[in-house]
Amino acid sequence: MVMLGAHVPAASAAAPSLTWSACGEKISAELQCAKLTVPVDWSKPDGKTITLTVGRAPATGAAAGTVLFSPGGPGGAGVQALSRALPHFAGLRTRMNVVTWNPRGGVSGEHLPLESCAAGPAFATPDSRREYDQVLKANAAGVAPCRDAVPDLFAHLDSASQARDMDAVRAALGEDKISFLGNSYGGVLGASYARLFPQRLRAMALDSVPDHVDPFAKSERLQYEGLEAGFRRFVRWCAGSSDCALRDADVEKTWQAVVRRAERRPLAAGTRRYDGDDLKSLAYTMVSDKARWPKLGEAIASAAKGDASGFDPQGRGMPPRVTAMLAVNCADGFRYDAYRAYRAAVRRSAAISPNFSGVRENAWLACSPWAPKASNPPAPLPAGKLPPLLGVGPVYEYPSVRAITDQVPGSATIKYDDVGHGRYLNAGDPCVIAHVDRYLIDGRLPAPGTTCPSWPA
């Protein structure tokens, strides 16, 4: 069992302080809010600024420190997320203040006009250079309204800039060191902070996070391996469940036949038609949510008969990428710089993932051609300067979480033995919460190989 260093009291009085007051309507009365002004461009501290909303759930007992929390997204509004999930933090708050913030360019709409930035490039699956060039033009047009509305801020939405915002919050709190809890894309913020400010981290827990330490090609491979592991769980469930419409069928064979059929001739879903790549992307979200497995079985069974409406019961079609979120992804290196790189990635995924190849490529292709070279690409952590980390990963995200935690000696990663994204924030999993709270409060890590069982039982 590894123990972290004790909380170090605040040392600097030079940073601006925070003035706390009620957060307002639709936010728990237990939360307090404050405003913090930060530069748009951290390389120009005297230039344009934005104001961040910071939220705090004070410790209910004697406070031993502060945990900074990000719900992910990117762009997730931390104040709203913490307010909704406050009961999950009850144990942590017995000893720790929990602080969060609404990030620059996020879904709170405080810094970007949501009417211009809520939708961007449409989902696209080019199979030739001509189609690729057409997609590039569409991507640029889809992003332009948001980028043109706030060009200075749009150019500085990367997670490294946001990590500097995080350190400004730390300083304004008067904390010399901070503990961090990152959910989902919050792991990219955590990795970015660890690279920039390793001396400021007391502890860091990462739940269901993507890999932002390895080269992009490797992180994609880990994502596909995890997705295939999740799909195998669905297949096994289907074979033994009366709730699965494919219980007596070869699920994987049936699914792959549906995809091939849709590629030859897109399947009808109301007034829309979906090709194989569309179906894989729609099924992707269903695989990762166990509550939707019965619907996924029904959707595949119906698609085998020519009706794809089960994948899109509202008939909304493939949603466009959210421009503001996409700008973060692109700046963080989740992107392809040319057609050749895109096609190489498609070939790699076909070899790794027989059931979902192309899903990730279709998503990250939307960064071309408008996004400049990634300003915050994946990179290793300064392992020797960091405390041991704690990771949490469901079966399909466990490899990505391990990619980060394995970089720092003495770290531990809990495996949740099922699918289900965000075990602490989203699920309120008592096993995960107990381990994370113990680590963030007392610095005690679980034993190597610790697993949390499927919950609820």
Side-chain angles (χ1 to χ4, degrees):
M1 183 176 292
V2 179
M3 298 290 290
L4 302 179
H7 170 68
V8 180
S12 174
S17 60
L18 298 171
T19 301
W20 302 101
S21 61
C23 294
E25 295 182 3
K26 300 182 179 180
I27 301 297
S28 171
E30 294 185 56
L31 263 64
Q32 303 165 341
C33 284
K35 299 293 184 180
L36 179 64
T37 300
V38 298
V40 169
D41 180 353
W42 276 97
S43 70
K44 300 176 181 178
D46 296 326
K48 293 182 178 180
T49 62
I50 55 173
T51 299
L52 304 177
T53 299
V54 182
R56 177 177 69 174
T60 55
T66 296
V67 174
L68 190 60
F69 158 69
S70 168
V79 175
Q80 286 81 355
L82 180 58
S83 177
R84 289 192 299 268
L86 205 54
H88 301 172
F89 293 82
L92 185 59
R93 291 177 62 202
T94 61
R95 293 287 308 283
M96 307 294 281
N97 298 310
V98 180
V99 174
T100 189
W101 77 106
N102 291 345
R104 59 171 64 204
V107 298
S108 68
E110 295 173 58
H111 313 116
L112 293 173
L114 292 183
E115 65 274 11
S116 300
C117 299
F123 181 86
T125 59
D127 293 321
S128 68
R129 184 56 184 262
R130 181 183 62 82
E131 291 180 357
Y132 177 84
D133 290 340
Q134 291 174 339
V135 169
L136 297 194
K137 293 179 182 179
N139 288 350
V143 167
C146 184
R147 181 194 57 205
D148 294 346
V150 281
D152 292 333
L153 179 59
F154 197 85
H156 296 94
L157 294 179
D158 59 281
S159 291
S161 293
Q162 299 195 44
R164 290 182 169 88
D165 294 344
M166 291 166 56
D167 201 56
V169 173
R170 175 205 59 78
L173 291 169
E175 297 280 2
D176 186 63
K177 291 194 175 213
I178 204 84
S179 297
F180 179 71
L181 172 58
N183 177 72
S184 191
Y185 204 84
V188 179
L189 296 183
S192 301
Y193 190 88
R195 287 189 288 264
L196 289 170
F197 306 104
Q199 76 281 7
R200 296 297 188 188
L201 270 173
R202 173 186 169 270
M204 185 163 73
L206 303 172
D207 185 356
S208 307
V209 301
D211 174 10
H212 198 248
V213 297
D214 289 311
F216 186 33
K218 181 178 180 181
S219 69
E220 276 198 310
R221 175 175 62 80
L222 294 178
Q223 287 181 327
Y224 274 119
E225 289 174 351
L227 183 53
E228 288 291 321
F231 187 73
R232 289 193 295 272
R233 287 294 180 107
F234 164 70
V235 171
R236 290 201 295 272
W237 167 84
C238 199
S241 175
S242 59
D243 292 332
C244 185
L246 296 170
R247 183 178 181 182
D248 297 324
D250 184 323
V251 177
E252 187 168 14
K253 184 176 180 180
T254 302
W255 166 241
Q256 292 179 7
V258 164
V259 171
R260 288 195 300 271
R261 178 180 176 181
E263 280 300 290
R264 292 192 301 268
R265 184 176 181 180
L267 300 181
T271 60
R272 300 180 181 274
R273 303 192 76 86
Y274 293 135
D275 65 16
D277 289 311
D278 295 330
L279 296 183
K280 283 189 282 189
S281 288
L282 289 164
Y284 168 81
T285 60
M286 302 174 80
V287 168
S288 60
D289 183 354
K290 194 171 183 178
R292 299 180 69 187
W293 282 3
K295 293 296 184 183
L296 177 58
E298 293 173 6
I300 295 173
S302 295
K305 300 175 183 177
D307 178 10
S309 59
F311 291 98
D312 182 24
Q314 283 77 43
R316 296 171 180 168
M318 291 300 301
R321 302 295 308 280
V322 177
T323 305
M325 295 173 65
L326 184 59
V328 181
N329 296 145
C330 301
D332 288 342
F334 295 100
R335 53 172 294 152
Y336 307 107
D337 293 321
Y339 176 71
R340 183 173 296 180
Y342 164 71
R343 292 306 305 173
V346 171
R347 290 191 296 271
R348 287 195 304 267
S349 71
I352 300 168
S353 178
N355 294 295
F356 291 95
S357 59
V359 167
R360 308 309 300 165
E361 291 78 7
N362 296 333
W364 305 133
L365 177 64
C367 290
S368 303
W370 55 270
K373 185 176 181 180
S375 57
N376 182 46
L381 301 182
K385 300 178 181 180
L386 292 169
L389 312 180
L390 175 61
V392 178
V395 290
Y396 62 96
E397 290 172 314
Y398 186 71
S400 294
V401 179
R402 282 288 301 269
I404 301 175
T405 56
D406 282 357
Q407 291 212 334
V408 182
S411 299
T413 302
I414 302 164
K415 185 175 184 178
Y416 172 64
D417 197 27
D418 212 332
V419 302
H421 183 70
R423 303 310 306 161
Y424 193 111
L425 175 67
N426 302 334
D429 185 327
C431 174
V432 167
I433 287 176
H435 284 298
V436 172
D437 287 357
R438 189 178 302 116
Y439 164 71
L440 290 175
I441 293 172
D442 297 323
R444 289 186 289 164
L445 285 164
T450 295
T451 298
C452 278
S454 177
W455 181 84

